[in-house]
Amino acid sequence: MAAAPPQVTEGMVLQAFRRIPLPSLRSHSQPANKTLINFDTIFFTDAQPLTRTVTLLGQRVRLEIKPSKFEWVHGDGTEDTTSTPGAPYPAKDVVYRYQDAHRTVAHRVVVTWSAEWSLNGGPLRPVNGTVTTTGPATPLRIAEASPALSGSGH
């Protein structure tokens, strides 16, 4: 009689999930390098789901990993949390209005990754735990708009 294969536990799967290198996503803004106070500055990141397969106790464990929470660190002491990665203009999924001009802030995005796992091709089950990655800081200059007359004086 063959012995039952060793049991892969949820704890083992969570440990394996925490060892998988996940991307540190960059926070992008529009406008990119300089924005204005009281202006909708758009934030987004390129977050894609990914699949990784690991072997635990000689058995195949497939992890379906997806970003589930985005913490937008604006660099001025404020943060915002969304469940979506935002999108470039014309979408305004994630926007923020800076209040203080004449400074440069460093914004970043902190991503929480969730996963589901499947043992030897079986049904997907949620992993009991998440992994967080912090993206690099991106500088953004905050300026004040000054009214200007334009046009020709004819």
Side-chain angles (χ1 to χ4, degrees):
M1 190 161 123
Q7 195 66 44
V8 173
T9 66
E10 287 192 7
M12 290 175 193
V13 173
L14 178 58
Q15 284 180 338
F17 176 33
R18 288 185 170 149
R19 283 194 302 268
I20 292 172
L22 296 173
S24 289
L25 302 178
R26 180 175 292 280
S27 166
H28 299 283
S29 68
Q30 283 179 323
N33 302 316
K34 181 176 167 183
T35 191
L36 301 172
I37 59 169
N38 300 317
F39 178 79
D40 278 348
T41 302
I42 298 170
F43 289 95
F44 62 97
T45 190
D46 183 24
Q48 302 294 328
L50 46 130
T51 301
R52 295 291 182 268
T53 302
V54 296
T55 302
L56 296 176
L57 302 178
Q59 299 177 70
R60 190 170 55 84
V61 173
R62 189 179 88 238
L63 287 155
E64 299 284 338
I65 304 167
K66 65 180 186 300
S68 55
K69 186 172 94 175
F70 301 86
E71 214 174 303
W72 305 94
V73 179
H74 301 126
D76 64 353
T78 65
E79 296 175 6
D80 193 18
T81 301
T82 64
S83 58
T84 63
Y89 184 83
K92 288 191 170 185
D93 300 346
V94 180
V95 296
Y96 179 68
R97 289 178 172 228
Y98 287 96
Q99 301 301 316
D100 298 324
H102 312 297
R103 61 190 287 201
T104 299
V105 297
H107 61 90
R108 63 171 45 97
V109 64
V110 179
V111 180
T112 301
W113 302 83
S114 302
E116 292 182 310
W117 65 287
S118 158
L119 182 62
N120 298 320
L124 282 170
R125 296 178 274 193
V127 173
N128 188 14
T130 57
V131 175
T132 303
T133 58
T134 300
T138 303
L140 179 65
R141 180 84 186 135
I142 311 210
E144 197 164 13
S146 40
L149 293 174
S150 64
S152 59
H154 298 316

